[in-house]
Amino acid sequence: MGSIYGDWLKAQREAEGLTQQQLADRAIMTRSHIAHIEAGRRVPSKEDARRLDGALNTGNVLSSFLPERDVAVADYFEAARQLEQQAVMIREFALSYVPGILQTKSYARAVLGLSFPPVSDEERDRRVVTRLERAKILDNPVTPVVWVLLDEAVLRRQIGGPDVMAAQIHHLVHLAEGGRIQVHVMPFTLGAHPLLSNMLTLMWFEDQPPMAYGEGLHMGRIHDTPAVVQDLQHRYDFALGNALPLKESLALLRATARGYEGHDRPNHPGQGRTQGLAEVVPQQ
């Protein structure tokens, strides 16, 4: 997304002698929301643009010239994608796939190529680009703080072949060793745990309450009710307390990657070797 729209908004705000907070107060928005729009990290909704026009007395300019949303995600994930770009802390739980912001290009292509019914190569490539664009939040060395909790199934289910899996796992190790993320594995030996039924993302923000996002087949939901978000946070904390510590998790990741590099798929008792076709492409 370009920054021409954001630059124009900033110029109009400064011409009015307003700070971001003052504009936010006038438009009934948050300061961070204004900052993200001005920096080109977020496209405002039509309602946002209407309120900004009203606050700045710009007629309908901001409403009429909204940038096109050139993203390829499911409709139910779009709001979560935007929140993800604003979060100062993200905690992920992954049940089947590596979370989207941590995926390598080859792994993302493999995951997005599993959609049913199949999509064209062009559409798959659009989705890959969107997924890699999401990952650019990790280019900032400080925020968001990212913790990832992986069910062991994420490591054992071969997606895209041994080479793709090895590279993906090495990517996680590299990010963790560099201190950019914290990664913990929920081993099979743990058995059932409070997060076993769903993927989960917890997000904290600079100037708005924390939110949660859960996803299942063809559905995703943002939770912003404080009691629900707190319950999900507690479930995450409980599961994290039973996960492998960072050092042991990294040792398991490295060992699993070596197994894939030897083209011996890592197995556990009772695990078959058939790779199934996903019925839905996970947005996370």
Side-chain angles (χ1 to χ4, degrees), residues 18-39:
L18 299 175
T19 65
Q20 288 181 340
Q21 186 60 61
Q22 289 170 331
L23 176 57
D25 292 340
R26 281 193 186 184
I28 316 176
M29 298 166 66
T30 65
R31 188 206 62 78
S32 65
H33 194 159
I34 299 294
H36 284 296
I37 295 172
E38 289 187 355

Side-chain angles (χ1 to χ4, degrees), residues 72-93:
V73 297
D75 290 343
Y76 60 76
F77 184 68
E78 174 57 20
R81 184 191 68 84
Q82 293 190 20
L83 289 170
E84 178 183 76
Q85 300 298 305
Q86 302 174 53
V88 297
M89 175 180 285
I90 298 174
R91 296 186 183 182
E92 297 269 18
F93 167 68

Side-chain angles (χ1 to χ4, degrees), residues 164-233:
V164 170
M165 287 300 298
Q168 175 62 72
I169 294 171
H170 280 307
H171 179 60
L172 295 175
V173 171
H174 172 73
L175 290 172
E177 288 180 335
R180 187 61 188 83
I181 69 171
Q182 288 281 312
V183 59
H184 298 273
V185 178
M186 301 288 290
F188 284 132
T189 53
L190 180 62
H193 56 79
L195 299 178
L196 192 57
S197 61
N198 214 341
M199 294 183 288
L200 175 67
T201 301
L202 301 171
M203 293 173 281
W204 285 260
F205 306 91
E206 180 182 333
D207 57 2
Q208 59 183 311
M211 298 186 190
Y213 173 77
E215 186 174 295
L217 290 174
H218 291 294
M219 67 181 69
R221 180 177 180 182
I222 291 175
H223 300 280
D224 57 6
T225 304
V228 174
V229 174
Q230 186 176 64
D231 175 71
L232 294 171
Q233 290 172 348

